[in-house]
Coordinates of all heavy atoms in Angstrom, one line a residue:
M1 N 5.7 -0.1 -4.9 CA 6.3 -1.3 -4.2 C 7.5 -1.1 -3.5 O 7.8 -1.7 -2.5 CB 6.3 -2.6 -5.2 CG 5.0 -3.0 -5.7 SD 3.7 -3.4 -4.5 CE 4.5 -4.8 -3.7
T2 N 8.4 -0.2 -4.1 CA 9.6 0.1 -3.5 C 9.4 0.7 -2.1 O 10.0 0.3 -1.1 CB 10.4 1.1 -4.3 OG1 10.7 0.5 -5.6 CG2 11.7 1.5 -3.6
F3 N 8.4 1.7 -2.0 CA 8.2 2.3 -0.7 C 7.4 1.4 0.2 O 7.5 1.5 1.4 CB 7.4 3.6 -1.0 CG 8.3 4.7 -1.5 CD1 8.4 5.1 -2.9 CD2 9.1 5.4 -0.7 CE1 9.2 6.0 -3.4 CE2 10.0 6.4 -1.2 CZ 10.0 6.7 -2.5
Q4 N 6.5 0.6 -0.4 CA 5.8 -0.4 0.5 C 6.8 -1.3 1.2 O 6.7 -1.6 2.4 CB 4.8 -1.1 -0.3 CG 3.9 -2.0 0.5 CD 2.8 -2.7 -0.2 OE1 3.0 -3.8 -0.7 NE2 1.7 -2.1 -0.4
H5 N 7.7 -1.9 0.4 CA 8.7 -2.8 1.0 C 9.7 -2.2 2.0 O 10.0 -2.7 2.9 CB 9.5 -3.5 -0.1 CG 8.6 -4.6 -0.8 ND1 8.1 -5.6 -0.3 CD2 8.3 -4.6 -2.2 CE1 7.4 -6.4 -1.1 NE2 7.6 -5.8 -2.3
L6 N 9.9 -0.9 1.7 CA 10.7 -0.1 2.6 C 10.1 0.1 4.0 O 10.7 -0.2 5.0 CB 11.0 1.3 2.0 CG 11.8 2.3 2.9 CD1 13.2 1.7 3.3 CD2 11.9 3.6 2.3
T7 N 8.7 0.3 4.0 CA 8.1 0.4 5.3 C 8.0 -0.9 6.0 O 8.0 -1.1 7.2 CB 6.5 0.9 5.1 OG1 5.9 0.0 4.2 CG2 6.6 2.3 4.4
K8 N 8.0 -2.0 5.2 CA 8.0 -3.4 5.8 C 9.2 -3.7 6.5 O 9.2 -4.4 7.6 CB 7.7 -4.5 4.7 CG 6.2 -4.5 4.3 CD 6.1 -5.4 3.1 CE 6.5 -6.8 3.4 NZ 6.3 -7.7 2.1
A9 N 10.4 -3.2 6.0 CA 11.6 -3.3 6.6 C 11.6 -2.8 8.1 O 12.1 -3.3 9.1 CB 12.8 -2.7 5.8
F10 N 11.0 -1.6 8.2 CA 10.9 -1.0 9.5 C 9.9 -1.8 10.4 O 10.2 -2.0 11.6 CB 10.3 0.5 9.4 CG 11.4 1.4 8.9 CD1 11.4 1.9 7.5 CD2 12.4 1.9 9.7 CE1 12.3 2.7 7.1 CE2 13.4 2.8 9.3 CZ 13.3 3.2 8.0
V11 N 8.9 -2.3 9.8 CA 8.0 -3.1 10.6 C 8.6 -4.4 11.2 O 8.6 -4.7 12.4 CB 6.8 -3.6 9.8 CG1 5.9 -4.7 10.5 CG2 5.9 -2.4 9.5
F12 N 9.4 -5.1 10.4 CA 10.0 -6.3 10.9 C 11.2 -6.0 11.8 O 11.5 -6.7 12.7 CB 10.4 -7.2 9.7 CG 9.2 -7.9 9.1 CD1 8.8 -7.5 7.9 CD2 8.6 -8.9 9.8 CE1 7.6 -8.0 7.3 CE2 7.5 -9.5 9.2 CZ 7.0 -9.1 7.9
G13 N 11.9 -4.9 11.5 CA 12.9 -4.4 12.4 C 12.3 -4.1 13.8 O 12.9 -4.4 14.8
F14 N 11.2 -3.4 13.8 CA 10.5 -3.1 15.0 C 10.1 -4.4 15.8 O 10.1 -4.4 17.0 CB 9.3 -2.2 14.7 CG 8.5 -1.8 15.9 CD1 8.8 -0.7 16.7 CD2 7.4 -2.5 16.3 CE1 8.1 -0.3 17.8 CE2 6.6 -2.1 17.4 CZ 7.0 -1.0 18.2
A15 N 9.7 -5.3 15.0 CA 9.3 -6.6 15.7 C 10.4 -7.5 16.1 O 10.1 -8.5 16.7 CB 8.4 -7.4 14.6
G16 N 11.6 -7.1 15.8 CA 12.7 -7.8 16.4 C 13.5 -8.7 15.4 O 14.4 -9.5 15.8
F17 N 13.1 -8.7 14.1 CA 13.8 -9.6 13.2 C 15.2 -9.1 13.0 O 15.4 -7.9 12.8 CB 13.0 -9.6 11.8 CG 13.7 -10.6 10.8 CD1 13.6 -11.9 10.9 CD2 14.5 -10.0 9.8 CE1 14.2 -12.8 10.0 CE2 15.1 -10.8 8.9 CZ 14.9 -12.2 9.0
V18 N 16.1 -10.0 13.0 CA 17.5 -9.7 12.8 C 18.0 -9.9 11.3 O 18.0 -11.1 10.9 CB 18.5 -10.5 13.8 CG1 19.9 -10.2 13.5 CG2 18.0 -10.3 15.2
F19 N 18.3 -8.9 10.7 CA 18.6 -9.0 9.3 C 20.1 -9.3 8.9 O 20.3 -9.8 7.8 CB 18.3 -7.6 8.5 CG 16.8 -7.4 8.3 CD1 16.1 -6.6 9.2 CD2 16.2 -8.0 7.2 CE1 14.7 -6.3 8.9 CE2 14.9 -7.7 6.9 CZ 14.1 -6.9 7.8
H20 N 20.9 -9.1 9.9 CA 22.4 -9.1 9.5 C 22.9 -10.5 9.0 O 23.7 -10.4 8.0 CB 23.2 -8.7 10.7 CG 23.3 -9.7 11.8 ND1 24.2 -10.8 11.8 CD2 22.6 -9.8 12.9 CE1 24.0 -11.5 12.9 NE2 23.0 -11.0 13.6
E21 N 22.3 -11.6 9.4 CA 22.8 -12.8 8.8 C 22.3 -13.1 7.4 O 22.8 -13.9 6.7 CB 22.5 -14.0 9.8 CG 21.0 -14.2 10.0 CD 20.7 -15.4 10.9 OE1 21.8 -16.2 11.2 OE2 19.6 -15.7 11.3
W22 N 21.4 -12.3 7.0 CA 20.8 -12.5 5.6 C 21.2 -11.4 4.7 O 20.9 -11.5 3.5 CB 19.2 -12.6 5.7 CG 18.7 -13.7 6.5 CD1 18.3 -13.7 7.8 CD2 18.5 -15.0 6.0 NE1 17.9 -15.0 8.2 CE2 18.0 -15.8 7.1 CE3 18.7 -15.6 4.7 CZ2 17.6 -17.1 6.9 CZ3 18.3 -17.0 4.6 CH2 17.9 -17.7 5.7
L23 N 21.9 -10.4 5.2 CA 22.2 -9.2 4.4 C 23.1 -9.5 3.1 O 22.8 -9.0 2.1 CB 22.8 -8.1 5.3 CG 22.0 -7.3 6.1 CD1 22.7 -6.3 7.0 CD2 20.8 -6.6 5.3
P24 N 24.1 -10.4 3.3 CA 24.9 -10.7 2.0 C 24.1 -11.4 0.9 O 24.2 -11.0 -0.2 CB 26.0 -11.7 2.6 CG 26.1 -11.4 4.0 CD 24.7 -11.0 4.4
L25 N 23.2 -12.3 1.3 CA 22.3 -12.9 0.2 C 21.4 -11.8 -0.3 O 21.1 -11.8 -1.6 CB 21.5 -14.0 0.9 CG 20.5 -14.7 -0.1 CD1 21.2 -15.4 -1.2 CD2 19.7 -15.8 0.6
I26 N 20.7 -11.0 0.6 CA 19.9 -10.0 0.1 C 20.6 -9.0 -0.9 O 20.1 -8.7 -2.0 CB 19.3 -9.1 1.3 CG1 18.4 -10.0 2.1 CG2 18.6 -7.9 0.8 CD1 17.9 -9.4 3.4
G27 N 21.8 -8.7 -0.6 CA 22.6 -7.8 -1.5 C 22.8 -8.4 -2.9 O 22.7 -7.7 -3.9
V28 N 23.3 -9.6 -2.9 CA 23.6 -10.2 -4.1 C 22.3 -10.5 -5.0 O 22.4 -10.3 -6.2 CB 24.3 -11.6 -3.9 CG1 24.6 -12.4 -5.2 CG2 25.7 -11.3 -3.2
M29 N 21.3 -10.9 -4.3 CA 20.0 -11.1 -5.0 C 19.5 -9.7 -5.6 O 18.9 -9.7 -6.7 CB 18.9 -11.6 -4.0 CG 19.2 -13.1 -3.8 SD 17.8 -13.8 -2.6 CE 16.4 -13.8 -3.7
I30 N 19.7 -8.6 -4.9 CA 19.3 -7.3 -5.4 C 20.1 -7.0 -6.7 O 19.6 -6.6 -7.7 CB 19.5 -6.2 -4.4 CG1 18.4 -6.4 -3.3 CG2 19.3 -4.8 -5.0 CD1 18.6 -5.4 -2.1
L31 N 21.4 -7.2 -6.6 CA 22.3 -7.0 -7.8 C 21.9 -7.8 -9.0 O 21.8 -7.4 -10.1 CB 23.7 -7.2 -7.4 CG 24.4 -6.3 -6.5 CD1 25.8 -6.7 -6.2 CD2 24.4 -4.8 -7.0
S32 N 21.6 -9.1 -8.7 CA 21.1 -10.0 -9.7 C 19.8 -9.5 -10.3 O 19.5 -9.6 -11.5 CB 20.9 -11.4 -9.2 OG 20.5 -12.3 -10.1
G33 N 18.9 -9.0 -9.4 CA 17.6 -8.5 -9.9 C 17.7 -7.3 -10.8 O 16.9 -7.1 -11.7
V34 N 18.7 -6.4 -10.6 CA 18.9 -5.3 -11.4 C 19.3 -5.7 -12.8 O 18.8 -5.1 -13.8 CB 20.1 -4.4 -10.8 CG1 20.5 -3.3 -11.8 CG2 19.6 -3.7 -9.5
V35 N 20.1 -6.7 -12.9 CA 20.4 -7.2 -14.3 C 19.1 -7.8 -15.0 O 18.9 -7.5 -16.2 CB 21.5 -8.3 -14.2 CG1 21.7 -9.0 -15.6 CG2 22.8 -7.8 -13.7
G36 N 18.4 -8.5 -14.3 CA 17.1 -9.0 -14.7 C 16.2 -7.9 -15.2 O 15.5 -8.0 -16.2
T37 N 16.1 -6.9 -14.4 CA 15.2 -5.7 -14.7 C 15.7 -5.0 -16.0 O 14.8 -4.7 -16.8 CB 15.3 -4.7 -13.6 OG1 14.7 -5.3 -12.3 CG2 14.5 -3.4 -13.9
W38 N 16.9 -4.9 -16.2 CA 17.4 -4.2 -17.4 C 17.0 -5.0 -18.6 O 16.6 -4.5 -19.6 CB 19.0 -4.1 -17.3 CG 19.5 -3.4 -18.5 CD1 19.6 -2.1 -18.8 CD2 20.2 -4.1 -19.6 NE1 20.3 -1.9 -20.0 CE2 20.6 -3.1 -20.5 CE3 20.5 -5.5 -19.9 CZ2 21.3 -3.4 -21.7 CZ3 21.2 -5.8 -21.1 CH2 21.6 -4.7 -22.0
L39 N 17.2 -6.4 -18.5 CA 16.8 -7.3 -19.7 C 15.3 -7.2 -19.9 O 14.8 -7.1 -21.0 CB 17.1 -8.6 -19.4 CG 18.7 -8.9 -19.4 CD1 19.0 -10.4 -18.9 CD2 19.3 -8.7 -20.8
G40 N 14.5 -7.2 -18.7 CA 13.0 -7.2 -18.9 C 12.5 -5.9 -19.5 O 11.6 -5.9 -20.3
L41 N 13.1 -4.7 -19.1 CA 12.7 -3.4 -19.7 C 13.0 -3.3 -21.2 O 12.3 -2.7 -21.9 CB 13.4 -2.3 -19.0 CG 12.9 -2.0 -17.5 CD1 13.7 -1.0 -16.9 CD2 11.4 -1.7 -17.5
R42 N 14.1 -4.0 -21.6 CA 14.3 -4.0 -23.1 C 13.3 -4.9 -23.8 O 12.8 -4.5 -24.9 CB 15.7 -4.7 -23.3 CG 16.9 -3.8 -22.9 CD 18.2 -4.5 -23.1 NE 18.5 -4.8 -24.5 CZ 19.1 -4.0 -25.3 NH1 19.5 -2.8 -24.9 NH2 19.4 -4.4 -26.6
L43 N 12.8 -5.9 -23.2 CA 11.7 -6.7 -23.8 C 10.4 -5.9 -23.7 O 9.6 -6.0 -24.7 CB 11.5 -8.1 -23.0 CG 10.4 -8.9 -23.4 CD1 10.5 -9.4 -24.9 CD2 10.3 -10.2 -22.5
L44 N 10.1 -5.1 -22.7 CA 8.9 -4.3 -22.6 C 8.8 -3.4 -23.7 O 7.6 -3.1 -24.3 CB 9.0 -3.5 -21.2 CG 7.7 -2.6 -21.0 CD1 6.4 -3.4 -20.9 CD2 8.0 -1.8 -19.7
K45 N 9.9 -2.8 -24.2 CA 9.9 -1.8 -25.3 C 9.3 -2.5 -26.6 O 8.8 -1.7 -27.5 CB 11.2 -1.2 -25.5 CG 11.7 -0.3 -24.4 CD 13.2 0.1 -24.7 CE 13.6 1.1 -23.5 NZ 15.0 1.6 -23.8

């Protein structure tokens, strides 16, 4: 899914979508997601 979403970023960039006004929210959501992932992997064990 990481590589699939990476290719989608190029698709929407090619289609003209402007990411810059959303980049701060995207960045903070990714950092928050890393914390959630760490907690989830502990539960998975």
Side-chain angles (χ1 to χ4, degrees):
M1 293 305 293
T2 298
F3 286 98
Q4 185 175 92
H5 288 301
L6 177 62
T7 61
K8 284 169 62 177
F10 285 102
V11 169
F12 287 106
F14 180 82
F17 180 77
V18 179
F19 282 97
H20 71 84
E21 62 180 351
W22 296 96
L23 284 178
L25 178 63
I26 290 171
V28 176
M29 287 180 70
I30 289 174
L31 291 175
S32 175
V34 169
V35 174
T37 294
W38 181 79
L39 293 172
L41 290 175
R42 289 175 66 88
L43 178 59
L44 177 65
K45 291 179 180 178

